[in-house]
Amino acid sequence: MVKIGDIELPDFPLLLAPMEDVSDPPFRALCKEQGADVVYTEFISSEGLIRDAAKSTMKLDIYEKERPVGIQIFGANLDSMLKSVEIVEKSGPDIIDINFGCPVKKVVSKGAGAGILKDIDLMVSLTKAMVEHTKLPVTVKTRLGWDHDTIKIVEVAERLQDVGCAAIAIHGRTRAQMYKGDADWHPIAEVKNNPRMHIPVFGNGDVNSPEKAMLMRDKFGLDGAMIGRASIGYPWFFREVKYFFETGEHMAKPTMEERVDAARRHLQMSIDWKGERLGVFETRRHYTNYFKGIPHFKEYRQRMVTTDDSAGVFQVFDEVFEKFGDHQFV
Ligand SMILES: Cc1cc2nc3c(=O)[nH]c(=O)nc-3n(C[C@H](O)[C@H](O)[C@H](O)COP(=O)(O)O)c2cc1C
């Protein structure tokens, strides 16, 4: 069994990665239903939270049905991070996760996200202060290092553990790599193989097939897989991995009925959460993904992304089911 603080998880849990503009409550709920064992919010700026920026505070919303859920925050200023821990706690998450991995310039240039990989002492002291400031388990998500020449993840992970970090998820790329090349899981396995490590070590990066998840478990010996891009528009990825683990076989792809149902529910949950206009507008790019790979679908895709009212979009979903209901996905 794998434990994050007191949270008990099944063997080799599957975690939905934090993803900006993707990992919102409706999407997290769908992934949870399909087998994600832990879900994370997208990253939330500590400075934004303190300013009470409406957009930031909305990102704190969580559904009971998605637990256990981690809220991820980023920042490099101790005061702001501690204040935002207090704000985040009010939303009642199960975990507080610190983003020490975001590679984008506007975050890194402020020393936050992966920027902190240039100052490991600060990374450790921030984590320590946050652990001491909350009763919730504090986890860290990070990368291998700043660049290829400065990979010290084994030492970094041990230091984070020593100040009370409850679990660490490591993306097998450096900041310099951004998203290029293949994720390297070898250094993550080194972290796990350090005899002093006792907290869960989760692998992240390029888990895009059940076979790769199995490799991460069996060859690299990691404690769980954090899954990002493979789940975008495809929450069924989680159940497919679990089915493969149980049977050694590939699960049948989700039927058209399941896809239409997911699209409908995604849209409905988004509307309930954000209101009609934003719900329709911001869910578009999700629900079109549910229908990838269907031939002669262009007209329907077009209507899905241009229809402005939910009744119209639901109507398109009905038509899609009527026309393509028998489509066999392979
Ligand atoms: C659209 C998108 C948004 C992301 N946003 C975040 C984020 O908010 N916080 C974070 O820690 N990582 C973020 N990431 C990185 C992912 O969590 C993950 O580390 C990365 O995609 C590698 O995993 P994958 O190969 O399974 O996608 C994002 C990635 C993508 C593709």
Side-chain angles (χ1 to χ4, degrees), residues 148-162:
H148 187 261
D149 299 328
T150 56
I151 295 180
K152 292 190 217 123
I153 190 66
V154 174
E155 178 199 325
V156 170
E158 195 177 311
R159 288 182 67 188
L160 292 171
Q161 168 182 276
D162 288 350

Side-chain angles (χ1 to χ4, degrees), residues 17-20 43 72 99 141 171 179 204-206 227-229:
M19 284 185 285
E20 187 179 17
F43 70 166
Q72 189 189 63
N99 178 317
K141 175 163 180 281
H171 179 183
Y179 285 90
N204 172 240
D206 301 350
I227 292 158
R229 288 165 294 177

Side-chain angles (χ1 to χ4, degrees), residues 17-22 41-44 72 97 99-102 141 143 171 173 179 204-208 226-230 232:
M19 284 185 285
E20 187 179 17
D21 290 336
V22 176
T41 65
E42 65 177 291
F43 70 166
I44 306 173
Q72 189 189 63
D97 187 66
N99 178 317
F100 288 144
C102 177
K141 175 163 180 281
R143 289 184 172 232
H171 179 183
R173 288 185 176 85
Y179 285 90
N204 172 240
D206 301 350
V207 179
N208 53 16
M226 180 178 269
I227 292 158
R229 288 165 294 177
I232 298 180

Side-chain angles (χ1 to χ4, degrees), residues 51-79:
R51 285 196 311 269
D52 196 35
K55 205 159 182 199
S56 294
T57 41
M58 199 170 167
K59 291 176 186 171
L60 296 174
D61 292 344
I62 51 186
Y63 295 131
E64 277 310 304
K65 60 188 170 192
E66 56 173 309
R67 292 186 186 283
V69 56
I71 291 183
Q72 189 189 63
I73 53 177
F74 73 97
N77 177 282
L78 178 63
D79 244 23

Side-chain angles (χ1 to χ4, degrees), residues 113-157:
I116 209 152
L117 288 165
K118 284 181 158 175
D119 188 349
I120 302 299
D121 287 344
L122 178 61
M123 182 182 190
V124 173
S125 62
L126 263 183
T127 306
K128 180 171 190 278
M130 288 174 67
V131 168
E132 286 167 355
H133 205 64
T134 177
K135 289 199 170 63
L136 292 172
V138 173
T139 60
V140 161
K141 175 163 180 281
T142 189
R143 289 184 172 232
L144 298 180
W146 177 257
D147 60 20
H148 187 261
D149 299 328
T150 56
I151 295 180
K152 292 190 217 123
I153 190 66
V154 174
E155 178 199 325
V156 170

